[in-house]
């Protein structure tokens, strides 16, 4: 516990010292009522796949409208594949509740991270989660930047990444949004929490 607090304090001090996020924002551009397609115009995501599938699809991407239009979607973002909280808690909290999401009429549960689709594909296989969750890569972070849900995690050798968050989206419009205070937190963005908000 003390080491966690120390790490957070050191991280905060380092960020202030180098001027990264010195005026830390407690909000994002996205909010309840935001239309994600309009908020991130011309942004596409990359569905998790093998390299061979990428080549055969000519490295196709998926426009946001194809993901959200006329659908009820639960989407959650996380700092990255193969990281601690993401692998041990965040993804399992959705995978283990998939039947409850379907019972509430959710068309798809989506995980998005600032990773390439090939890394996400291998990670989804490892977690045995591909049958329940759709994984999408935001390879250059443009989706998260457009929504101001991006986070510089260079201190952890991750570079530009996503905050930890979740949302319930109906026909592209955000109905519920949960953003953790720190990427290492897992208090408001889990599957159990958003299930109670739908």
């Amino acid at each position: 516990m003390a080491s966690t607090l120390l790490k957070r304090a050191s991280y905060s001090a380092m960020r202030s010292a180098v001027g990264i996020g010195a005026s830390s924002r407690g909000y994002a551009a996205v909010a309840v009522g935001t239309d994600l397609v309009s908020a991130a115009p011309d942004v596409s995501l990359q569905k998790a796949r093998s390299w061979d599938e990428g080549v055969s699809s000519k490295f196709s991407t998926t426009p946001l409208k194809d993901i959200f239009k006329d659908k009820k979607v639960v989407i959650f973002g996380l700092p990255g594949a193969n990281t601690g909280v993401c692998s041990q808690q965040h993804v399992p909290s959705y995978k283990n509740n998939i039947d409850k999401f379907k019972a509430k009429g959710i068309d798809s549960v989506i995980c998005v991270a600032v990773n390439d689709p090939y890394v996400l594909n291998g990670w989804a296989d490892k977690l045995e989660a591909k049958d329940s969750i759709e994984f999408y890569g935001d390879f250059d972070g443009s989706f998260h930047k457009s929504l101001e849900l991006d986070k510089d995690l260079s201190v952890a050798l991750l570079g530009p990444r996503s905050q930890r968050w979740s949302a319930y989206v109906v026909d592209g419009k955000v109905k519920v949004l949960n953003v953790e205070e720190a990427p290492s937190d897992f208090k408001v963005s889990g599957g159990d929490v958003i299930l109670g908000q739908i």
Side-chain angles (χ1 to χ4, degrees):
M1 178 71 167
S3 65
T4 302
L5 292 174
L6 180 60
K7 285 178 188 171
R8 285 187 187 164
S10 298
Y11 176 56
S12 178
M14 190 238 12
R15 286 172 56 88
S16 296
V18 296
I20 301 171
S23 59
S24 178
R25 64 175 184 261
Y27 67 93
V30 65
V32 172
T34 299
D35 183 319
L36 293 182
V37 179
S38 299
D42 305 319
V43 170
S44 295
L45 296 174
Q46 309 84 43
K47 193 154 191 176
R49 59 197 170 208
S50 69
W51 178 258
D52 289 342
E53 290 168 333
V55 170
S56 67
S57 73
K58 298 187 168 132
F59 303 107
S60 66
T61 61
T62 307
L64 294 183
K65 66 179 188 320
D66 292 354
I67 296 171
F68 296 110
K69 187 163 176 52
D70 299 324
K71 295 177 188 167
K72 292 181 180 177
V73 175
V74 169
I75 183 170
F76 63 104
L78 42 77
N82 299 302
T83 55
V85 175
C86 303
S87 297
Q88 296 161 12
Q89 294 176 281
H90 209 170
V91 171
S93 76
Y94 288 87
K95 177 186 167 187
N96 297 337
N97 283 303
I98 198 64
D99 291 338
K100 293 177 184 175
F101 284 112
K102 297 299 180 186
K104 286 187 176 262
I106 300 302
D107 295 301
S108 55
V109 174
I110 293 172
C111 173
V112 63
V114 181
N115 285 113
D116 65 67
Y118 320 110
V119 165
L120 284 178
N121 188 62
W123 186 49
D125 278 342
K126 181 179 173 183
L127 296 177
E128 299 178 352
K130 282 175 75 176
D131 290 339
S132 50
I133 299 169
E134 294 178 29
F135 288 78
Y136 283 91
D138 177 21
F139 84 96
D140 62 356
S142 57
F143 176 68
H144 287 92
K145 285 177 197 164
S146 296
L147 304 178
E148 291 185 6
L149 287 170
D150 56 313
K151 189 90 171 167
D152 183 354
L153 295 178
S154 296
V155 72
L157 306 179
L158 293 170
R161 294 291 177 137
S162 164
Q163 296 190 51
R164 189 178 305 284
W165 60 280
S166 65
Y168 171 46
V169 182
V170 178
D171 194 24
K173 291 188 176 56
V174 176
K175 301 296 183 184
V176 172
L177 177 67
N178 306 301
V179 183
E180 301 285 0
E181 286 186 25
S184 57
D185 287 348
F186 186 66
K187 299 173 184 172
V188 300
S189 62
D192 294 319
V193 173
I194 204 162
L195 263 173
Q197 298 171 317
I198 297 171

